[in-house]
Amino acid sequence: MQHRVIVLGAGYAGAIAAGRLAKRLRREEVAITLVNAEPDFVERVRMHQLATGQDLKLRPLSEMFAGTGVELRLAKVTGVDVDRRTVAVIDPNGTEELAYDTLVYALGSGWNTQGVPGTAEHAYEIASRPGALRLRERLARLDSGQTVVVVGGGLTGLEAATEIAEARPDLDVALAARGGLGDWLSPKGREHLRKVFGKLRITVHERAAVTGVEADRVVTADGKAIPAAVTVWTTGFAVHPIANATALEITGTGQIVVDGTMRSVSHPDVYAIGDAAMVMGPGEKPLRMSCATGGPTAWQAADAIAARLTGGKLPNVPIRYFNQCISLGRKEGLIQYVTADDRAVQAVLAGRLAAVYKELVCKGAAWSVANPTLGLPTRRRRVTRERAPAGSAAEALA
């Protein structure tokens, strides 16, 4: 019997993990199934571009994984039973339970309303393709001079505000940030950021914690009302809720607690990667939710699974950061170099060269997903451990 590996989610982390496992393991011994609700890979780091009317290249998962040995299952995950080792899914044909021996949980995250009143009813999000397309349609209907307020001063907020302002210079674009503009950046980074915001005529409301969203404005903690024909909400991410309904050990944010190999500390046949995992980095600081975290956690988990199945050496590669890549429209960018634990250093790369750098990073990430079994030496090893242990999901469903 083949050892059954199920990967949930085909974002950056899930797709990379599935491809890397296919590269490491023999098809006749290991069955890899990738479950995803959408038929295409979504370049989440480009959703601000999609929202401003730019067309992105379609990347069908069926084409990406053709010939790799990975079985693609287009279905929505509705539940995970980690005791019975089953995953419940639904597709146009109905519901089904899929049994696994090893599960890779990569369901990622969505937008986080932070519980602010009116956000769900009135704000737009760009954490998903449907959300970005909804915002795209709304922006296209805005008349000249109307106001767009981007709430959130993190990387997503900076990219959204500058992209909208560049694409629609006829609009009045504003950014509301809880802290100072780019206050985590180095002095040179902050200086360049302010220069670009000034050139794009983006109004900045600093230290403005938004406590309410209405149809035509946002309200801050000090009672100030900021006019907003459109509010774009970018105040962080919330993990997919499925894990919270399982017996897995999770954090207060709903992330799955894992060890250094991305293995669940409570259920050793489950691995969590990307935004779904609580991963400790240098200095015992949690890694942030980002594409920069998703890729390395996927590599670590896939290599650990392959090593445990084949009797190989477990990976011991510390996950660290090198830089933060920020696009500021299509013509400007900012690369802020950081310490291993993500603290800004003095060095930055700014301007057109930084924009090209960021574009290459985005293209490289998409290429690695679109070519899941390329770029790695072939080292497929034989499975040495028992493939369907007693009490497995196969027996539970029998």
Side-chain angles (χ1 to χ4, degrees):
M1 182 181 291
Q2 290 175 302
H3 185 94
R4 296 155 303 179
V5 178
I6 292 181
V7 181
L8 303 183
Y12 288 98
I16 289 172
R20 198 172 180 98
L21 284 167
K23 190 71 174 178
R24 294 279 191 254
L25 301 166
R26 294 173 181 263
R27 299 180 188 180
E28 63 271 22
E29 296 182 328
V30 179
I32 303 169
T33 302
L34 178 60
V35 182
N36 199 61
E38 296 188 54
D40 303 314
F41 170 71
V42 176
E43 288 187 84
R44 188 172 179 180
V45 296
R46 294 189 187 275
M47 290 300 97
H48 53 287
Q49 295 177 240
L50 185 64
T52 54
Q54 300 171 51
D55 293 324
L56 305 182
K57 179 181 178 180
L58 285 178
R59 301 181 184 276
L61 292 168
S62 59
E63 294 180 10
M64 290 164 49
F65 286 95
T68 64
V70 175
E71 178 187 353
L72 177 63
R73 180 66 186 272
L74 297 179
K76 179 182 178 181
V77 178
T78 58
V80 175
D81 189 327
V82 292
D83 296 319
R84 296 176 60 239
R85 296 179 186 167
T86 61
V87 175
V89 301
I90 185 170
D91 63 18
N93 296 319
T95 60
E96 186 179 351
E97 278 192 333
L98 309 178
Y100 67 83
D101 298 307
T102 298
L103 180 70
V104 181
Y105 187 104
L107 289 179
S109 61
W111 73 318
N112 190 349
T113 67
Q114 307 289 351
V116 173
T119 302
E121 294 83 5
H122 302 298
Y124 291 79
E125 54 94 1
I126 55 171
S128 67
R129 181 162 57 183
L133 289 172
R134 180 170 168 260
L135 175 59
R136 175 184 179 130
E137 189 273 335
R138 182 69 182 95
L139 290 175
R141 291 189 285 109
L142 284 183
D143 294 328
S144 247
Q146 289 191 279
T147 300
V148 176
V149 175
V150 177
V151 180
L155 300 182
T156 305
L158 299 181
E159 294 192 330
T162 51
E163 200 75 44
I164 294 169
E166 182 184 86
R168 289 291 305 274
D170 60 315
L171 297 177
D172 181 4
V173 179
L175 177 81
R178 180 179 291 273
L181 180 63
D183 55 6
W184 74 93
L185 299 169
S186 67
K188 288 183 179 179
R190 292 195 297 272
E191 180 183 359
H192 184 71
L193 186 60
R194 289 189 181 278
K195 177 183 175 182
V196 174
F197 268 58
K199 185 168 63 175
L200 293 172
R201 297 184 295 110
I202 300 172
T203 302
V204 180
H205 301 276
E206 299 183 85
R207 296 169 183 84
V210 173
T211 56
V213 179
E214 299 177 15
D216 59 354
R217 65 179 184 168
V218 299
V219 180
T220 62
D222 60 3
K224 181 180 180 181
I226 303 173
V230 171
T231 299
V232 184
W233 194 264
T234 66
T235 63
F237 303 105
V239 298
H240 197 287
I242 290 287
N244 196 46
T246 70
L248 291 164
E249 182 175 336
I250 60 174
T251 67
T253 61
Q255 291 174 294
I256 299 170
V257 182
V258 297
D259 64 16
T261 65
M262 307 303 114
R263 195 181 203 180
S264 164
V265 297
S266 62
H267 292 75
D269 47 359
V270 176
Y271 292 73
I273 56 179
D275 291 355
M278 171 54 70
V279 183
M280 303 308 292
E284 289 303 298
K285 289 174 58 177
L287 299 182
R288 57 185 161 91
M289 294 184 187
S290 66
C291 179
T293 301
T297 59
W299 302 333
Q300 194 92 318
D303 290 354
I305 293 169
R308 287 188 168 110
L309 287 178
T310 63
K313 184 179 179 181
L314 285 174
N316 185 27
V317 181
I319 298 177
R320 58 152 297 164
Y321 296 111
F322 296 95
N323 54 43
Q324 294 179 8
C325 302
I326 312 170
S327 67
L328 301 173
R330 296 298 87 207
K331 301 173 183 177
E332 284 277 359
L334 176 61
I335 309 302
Q336 173 66 67
Y337 295 98
V338 298
T339 59
D341 62 351
D342 212 27
R343 289 176 291 116
V345 298
Q346 290 301 313
V348 299
L349 180 66
R352 179 62 181 168
L353 188 57
V356 172
Y357 184 109
K358 172 64 186 288
E359 180 63 20
L360 290 174
V361 169
C362 292
K363 286 183 176 179
W367 185 92
S368 67
V369 174
N371 299 273
T373 58
L374 295 180
L376 290 171
T378 301
R379 294 194 299 269
R380 292 191 179 95
R381 298 181 178 179
R382 301 198 69 87
V383 171
T384 58
R385 59 161 283 180
E386 186 179 355
R387 295 174 202 153
S392 70
E395 292 185 0
L397 293 178

